[in-house]
């Protein structure tokens, strides 16, 4: 459908946890499913890139390509972070940590190659790195008494790689939560001055499907073609959940709503700091974020644990998240 709607336009695809030949969060490396799905993915890319994508995707469901013009000198690294989920198993319902370990070796190599070539990088996946604040609160995890928060992934390896190579990684794009969210990855324990160069801005895009009760939505972004920086974006929402007689309108414009020049580590740091200082979510930026988080606005879902949620925005690892939460609840 996308190829028919936008003929000739490159379409970059990442697998989600339901994209499998055998079950939710289940997948085998080198499977027939990946081989067949890889053909669909490759057909939407420029002809010169298809063979390499077929080979990489057929093995693990991930791949790396240079983004098409007019974007300049930018590599898109598409990860299959299903292998990194704590819920992951093979189609035989067995755990397999080797698949994720092999992918992280591959990711490191991609980032090293990009750094050596002087390329910029976008990383796109489905499941975001960091703490899952909603599940942590829902399951009553007492992080101030030593209980670990619930994280989206089974380790911090991908987040650590992204921040280690923050000089080349300009953006992370993920989904999975179905909500419209922002995250700031930062090197754990780094001094403030050193941390400036080890931050990565992450955009979590809302869902086109309404299975979580949200209205369908998609995001249209404007990027600087020369620098690959995300300058602005609009979230477009459906008028209803049924798809019958649906009209689409702009829910919000990032730059106008949050009064920031772009979506970057520095501007996101400013926003997160504002949110942290607004414990009761009374300032315009906080009110807007809570409203926009759940497309169609179900503000009560986020409002009751706003301070805990904000801690997850800038503290992706368990220990700094817990330290942040405990400092706000004293």
């Amino acid at each position: 459908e996308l190829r028919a709607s936008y003929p000739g336009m490159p379409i970059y695809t990442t697998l989600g946890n339901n994209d499998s030949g055998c079950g939710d969060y289940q997948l085998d490396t080198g499977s027939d499913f990946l081989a067949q799905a890889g053909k669909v993915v490759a057909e939407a890319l420029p002809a010169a890139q298809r063979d390499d994508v077929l080979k990489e995707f057929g093995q693990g469901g991930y791949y790396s390509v240079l983004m098409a013009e007019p974007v300049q000198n930018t590599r898109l690294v598409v990860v299959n972070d299903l292998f990194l989920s704590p819920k992951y198993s093979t189609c035989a319902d067995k755990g397999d940590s080797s698949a994720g370990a092999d992918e992280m070796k591959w990711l490191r190599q991609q980032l090293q190659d990009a750094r050596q070539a002087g390329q910029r990088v976008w990383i796109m996946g489905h499941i975001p790195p960091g703490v899952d604040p909603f599940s942590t609160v829902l399951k009553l995890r007492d992080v101030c008494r030593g209980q670990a928060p619930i994280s989206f992934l089974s380790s911090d390896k991908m987040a650590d790689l992204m921040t280690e190579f923050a000089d080349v990684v300009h953006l992370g794009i993920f989904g999975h939560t179905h909500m419209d969210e922002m995250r700031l990855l930062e090197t754990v324990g780094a001094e403030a001055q050193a941390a400036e160069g080890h931050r990565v801005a992450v955009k979590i895009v809302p869902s086109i499907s309404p299975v979580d009760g949200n209205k369908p939505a998609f995001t249209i972004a404007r990027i600087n073609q020369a620098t690959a920086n995300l300058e602005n974006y609009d979230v477009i929402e459906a008028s209803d959940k049924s798809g019958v007689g649906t009209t689409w309108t702009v829910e919000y414009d990032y730059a106008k709503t949050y009064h920031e020049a772009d979506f970057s580590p520095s501007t996101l740091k400013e926003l997160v700091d504002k949110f942290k200082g607004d414990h009761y979510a009374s300032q315009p930026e906080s009110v807007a974020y809570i409203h926009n988080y759940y497309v169609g606005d179900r503000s009560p879902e986020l409002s009751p644990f706003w301070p805990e949620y904000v801690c997850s925005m800038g503290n992706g690892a368990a220990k700094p998240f817990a330290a942040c939460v405990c400092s706000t609840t004293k």
Side-chain angles (χ1 to χ4, degrees), residues 237-252:
E237 68 171 333
S239 56
D240 59 71
K241 302 171 188 176
S242 70
V244 178
T246 300
T247 58
W248 297 86
T249 56
V250 176
E251 184 190 31
Y252 77 96

Side-chain angles (χ1 to χ4, degrees), residues 64-209:
S64 173
V65 294
L66 277 177
M67 293 179 72
E69 294 183 353
V71 181
Q72 301 172 24
N73 199 34
T74 302
R75 181 181 300 214
L76 178 69
V77 180
V78 180
V79 296
N80 176 18
D81 46 15
L82 170 61
F83 293 142
L84 306 177
S85 169
K87 299 179 182 180
Y88 168 69
S89 70
T90 66
C91 290
D93 203 23
K94 295 180 180 179
D96 180 12
S97 60
S98 65
D102 288 345
E103 183 177 5
M104 289 302 96
K105 290 179 183 177
W106 172 85
L107 176 59
R108 174 176 286 278
Q109 188 63 56
Q110 294 299 317
L111 297 175
Q112 287 175 340
D113 290 348
R115 177 183 279 170
Q116 186 173 1
Q119 297 169 341
R120 292 170 287 274
V121 174
W122 283 18
I123 293 180
M124 184 172 76
H126 180 69
I127 307 172
V131 171
D132 178 351
F134 186 78
S135 295
T136 297
V137 171
L138 188 66
K139 296 188 177 182
L140 303 177
R141 292 293 183 97
D142 191 346
V143 297
C144 295
R145 293 182 179 271
Q147 286 188 302
I150 297 172
S151 295
F152 289 111
L153 302 177
S154 55
S155 78
D156 297 325
K157 290 181 180 178
M158 186 164 68
D160 290 344
L161 277 174
M162 291 174 69
T163 54
E164 179 184 345
F165 288 87
D167 56 313
V168 295
V169 178
H170 280 226
L171 182 68
I173 306 174
F174 296 88
H176 189 62
T177 70
H178 292 237
M179 305 301 141
D180 184 85
E181 305 188 64
M182 308 173 190
R183 292 286 191 278
L184 180 66
L185 300 181
E186 189 168 9
T187 301
V188 176
E191 296 293 332
Q193 187 173 359
E196 287 293 332
H198 289 83
R199 295 188 180 116
V200 177
V202 170
K203 183 73 191 94
I204 301 177
V205 296
S207 173
I208 195 70
S209 67

Side-chain angles (χ1 to χ4, degrees), residues 13-36:
T13 308
T14 184
L15 295 179
N17 50 278
N18 277 295
D19 298 322
S20 169
C22 52
D24 192 16
Y25 290 98
Q26 292 184 298
L27 186 66
D28 287 339
T29 57
S31 63
D32 182 62
F33 168 80
L34 288 177
Q36 297 302 319

